[in-house]
């Protein structure tokens, strides 16, 4: 059976101990330190000696009858101060022969120290309280250890099965019942898991929270370092964990072990986690399934500047994401890079508003084409966006432009950055390619050349029309003589029943061919 937090008893606090049935039989009364009753109780200890503090290690609920303190107010005050110095959870005084009522000296000392002091008005066997609390604490510790081992086993099984990072984080979030965040050492978020609204609340103010999570743990913020062989490269944070701190640390440690193992088996590819994070964010932006405003916390937490910025959406055809990342760093351009489908890579630049977005995009594209060659890379761009909510539309526009020129970069004289105005008719056909009327038109116009054996003639027709019916250029690109080209063009006209010297008929065939090519991609 899988152990989750729901199956664990809550950690015992002083307040909870006082509600136990056996304790209620002693008629407990809190006489000091009532605002500190939520202190966790680590153990229960019976002690009468005045120097009891030297025997404690912190977190104990100390039970006493005060028999060795009666008649000596200095000893009474020192007894309380000793417990405070030892960080005891509370002191419980059984009223009776030594103290028929709560001694004022002890009560005042406890109030000054903030130490919960409880008196029992009816005779009560301390052994029963000790047995009850200790058994509950032991059960709690056993359950925590069992949870730790269950998490370790399940995460190891996922890693062995080749599960991605996100699957591991989802499992950790399920066990911890709180948002889980993985970051690099610069606090850039590499992965998250948990209920989406809760995760977004955490990411919304991540810069401040990251500083808090990187320091002293408290209020359920529990972290574990990620690294090995003397090198740290990240951390995992349980954000707002509601269980006891010890169990939370066990969970965080098991999760950290699994993430380190996952990275080792992936060849140390911590950077791939950053790529996955960017890919998830940009894919969600392009799809439009998640509103852009809901993705803003993720973008900010991923390290993208978003306040008072100009956003430039780019899509690069046949671009290596790693190369693009390096180029951004080299040029000092803040942005995210993520590989999309069909050989396209999205690049979202975030620029200060006083910079020339068009010039910087052109410079980026020119440097990229210098490295890869003009025939290997197409950089498509949408107009710069001043509002974050407009970024998804911009990314889709850039992707549309990149798709429109995907099959034509070899024959068209493209600028370094291709925009919607540069794709003309080809861009319109791209937008309409799924329209059944357009599909029907393309099939009707090209019916004579759609057999597999006609692919060579279709290629000649494509080049001929793309070059503006330039026979010399077409023959050169296909490495054939002019007479050979004329024979092929004649065959094409016969098959299609058209006259390619007639502008209107040639335009109709060209549109049909553009639609056919768009439908094949």
């Amino acid at each position: 059976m899988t152990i989750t937090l729901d199956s664990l008893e809550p950690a015992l606090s002083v307040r909870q101990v006082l509600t136990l049935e056996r304790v209620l039989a002693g008629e407990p009364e809190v006489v000091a330190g009532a605002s500190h009753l939520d202190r966790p109780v680590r153990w229960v200890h019976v002690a009468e000696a005045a120097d009891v503090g030297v025997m404690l290690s912190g977190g104990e609920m100390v039970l006493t009858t005060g028999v060795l303190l009666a008649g000596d107010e200095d000893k009474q005050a020192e007894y309380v101060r000793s417990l405070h110095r030892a960080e005891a959870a509370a002191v419980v005084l059984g009223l009776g022969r030594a103290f028929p009522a709560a001694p004022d000296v002890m009560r005042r000392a406890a109030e000054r120290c903030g130490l919960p002091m409880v008196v029992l008005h009816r005779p009560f066997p301390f052994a029963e309280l000790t047995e009850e609390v200790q058994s509950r604490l032991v059960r709690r510790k056993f359950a925590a250890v069992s949870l730790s081992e269950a998490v370790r086993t399940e995460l190891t099984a996922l890693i062995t099965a080749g599960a991605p990072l996100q699957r591991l984080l989802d499992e950790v979030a399920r066990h911890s019942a709180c948002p889980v965040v993985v970051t690099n050492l610069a606090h850039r978020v590499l992965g998250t898991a948990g209920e989406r609204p809760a995760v977004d609340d955490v990411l919304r103010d991540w810069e401040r929270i990251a500083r808090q999570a990187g320091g002293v743990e408290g209020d359920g913020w529990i972290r574990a370092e990620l690294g090995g062989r003397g090198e740290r490269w990240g951390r995992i944070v349980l954000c707002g964990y509601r269980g006891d701190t010890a169990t939370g640390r066990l969970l965080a440690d098991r999760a950290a072990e699994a993430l380190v193992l996952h990275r080792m088996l992936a060849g140390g590819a911590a950077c791939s986690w950053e790529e996955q994070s960017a890919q998830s964010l940009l894919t969600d932006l392009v799809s439009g399934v998640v509103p852009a405003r809901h993705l803003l916390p993720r973008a900010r937490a991923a390290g993208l500047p978003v306040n008072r910025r100009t956003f430039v959406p780019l899509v690069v055809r046949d671009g290596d994401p790693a190369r693009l990342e390096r180029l951004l760093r080299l040029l000092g351009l803040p942005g995210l890079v993520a590989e999309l489908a069909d050989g396209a890579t999205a690049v979202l630049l975030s620029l200060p508003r006083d910079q020339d977005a068009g010039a910087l995009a052109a410079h980026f594209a020119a440097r990229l084409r210098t490295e890869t060659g003009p025939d290997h890379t197409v950089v498509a761009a949408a107009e710069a966006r001043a509002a974050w909510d407009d970024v998804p539309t911009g990314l889709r526009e850039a992707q549309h432009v990149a798709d429109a020129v995907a099959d034509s970069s070899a024959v068209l004289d493209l600028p370094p950055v291709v925009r919607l105005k540069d794709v003309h008719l080809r861009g319109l056909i791209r937008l309409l390619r799924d329209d059944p009327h357009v599909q029907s038109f393309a099939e009707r116009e090209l019916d004579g050349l759609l057999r597999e054996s006609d692919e060579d003639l279709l290629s000649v027709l494509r080049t001929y029309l793309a070059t503006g019916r330039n026979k010399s250029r077409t023959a050169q690109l296909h490495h054939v003589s002019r007479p050979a080209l004329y024979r092929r063009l004649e065959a094409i006209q016969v098959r299609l029943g058209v006259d390619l010297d007639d502008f209107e008929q040639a335009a109709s065939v060209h549109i049909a061919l553009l639609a056919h090519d768009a439908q094949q991609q």
Side-chain angles (χ1 to χ4, degrees), residues 84-351:
H84 171 65
R85 288 193 297 271
E87 298 182 348
V91 58
V92 177
L93 175 65
L95 301 180
R97 188 171 50 188
F99 291 104
D104 287 340
V105 173
M106 293 183 68
R107 183 182 55 77
R108 288 195 300 270
E111 193 64 48
R112 284 195 299 270
C113 293
L115 176 71
M117 180 175 176
V118 181
V119 297
L120 300 175
H121 289 278
R122 297 188 63 181
F124 182 82
F126 285 167
E128 290 188 10
L129 173 58
T130 303
E131 178 186 9
E132 176 74 12
V133 175
Q134 311 299 50
S135 64
R136 286 175 178 263
L137 291 174
V138 169
R139 288 200 301 271
R140 176 70 190 184
K141 183 171 286 291
F142 175 77
V145 172
S146 298
L147 172 62
S148 171
E149 289 306 308
V151 171
R152 172 184 279 150
T153 300
E154 291 173 18
L155 293 181
T156 301
L158 288 174
I159 293 172
T160 303
L165 170 66
Q166 189 60 53
R167 182 68 184 85
L168 271 65
L169 296 183
D170 289 341
E171 191 68 16
V172 175
R174 184 176 70 82
H175 281 289
S176 62
C178 70
V180 175
V181 176
V182 174
T183 74
N184 61 16
L185 294 182
H187 304 305
R188 179 174 175 178
V189 174
L190 306 181
T192 63
E195 294 292 333
R196 196 71 254 168
V199 171
D200 287 344
D201 285 344
V202 168
L203 297 184
R204 195 166 286 115
D205 195 19
W206 179 250
E207 185 176 347
R208 179 187 62 80
I209 289 174
R211 291 196 297 269
Q212 170 186 331
V216 179
E217 292 178 352
D219 297 327
W221 295 89
I222 299 174
R223 64 188 175 93
E225 302 299 323
L226 303 177
R229 299 177 182 176
E231 177 190 8
R232 289 190 305 118
W233 45 267
R235 59 177 55 91
I236 182 170
V237 185
L238 307 186
C239 306
Y241 177 74
R242 294 190 298 272
D244 67 283
T245 302
T247 302
R249 285 185 182 136
L250 279 174
L251 276 171
D253 288 344
R254 295 297 83 78
E257 291 173 3
L259 296 187
V260 170
L261 177 59
H262 185 276
R263 182 193 178 195
M264 289 174 57
L265 294 178
C271 62
S272 69
W273 290 4
E274 297 185 4
E275 293 167 3
Q276 291 174 32
S277 174
Q279 183 175 31
S280 173
L281 173 60
L282 292 183
T283 299
D284 285 346
L285 280 170
V286 171
S287 70
V289 174
V290 182
R293 63 182 180 278
H294 293 169
L295 298 172
L296 188 59
R298 285 171 59 187
R300 183 182 290 113
L304 186 73
V306 295
N307 295 330
R308 296 182 296 279
R309 309 292 286 192
T310 296
F311 302 101
V312 182
L314 306 173
V315 171
V316 181
R317 272 285 171 191
D318 301 321
D320 175 29
R323 182 194 296 274
L324 297 176
E325 283 272 15
R326 287 194 299 271
L327 185 55
L328 286 183
R329 289 194 295 269
L330 179 64
L331 299 177
L333 297 175
L336 295 178
V337 176
E339 188 172 5
L340 304 178
D342 301 325
T345 301
V347 179
L348 179 61
L349 301 181
S350 174
L351 307 174

Side-chain angles (χ1 to χ4, degrees), residues 47-53 55 68-69 75-76 78-80 82-83:
E48 302 289 354
D51 59 349
V52 62
M55 297 181 283
L68 299 182
L69 305 175
K75 283 187 177 180
Q76 294 169 22
E78 178 56 27
Y79 184 85
V80 173
S82 175
L83 293 178

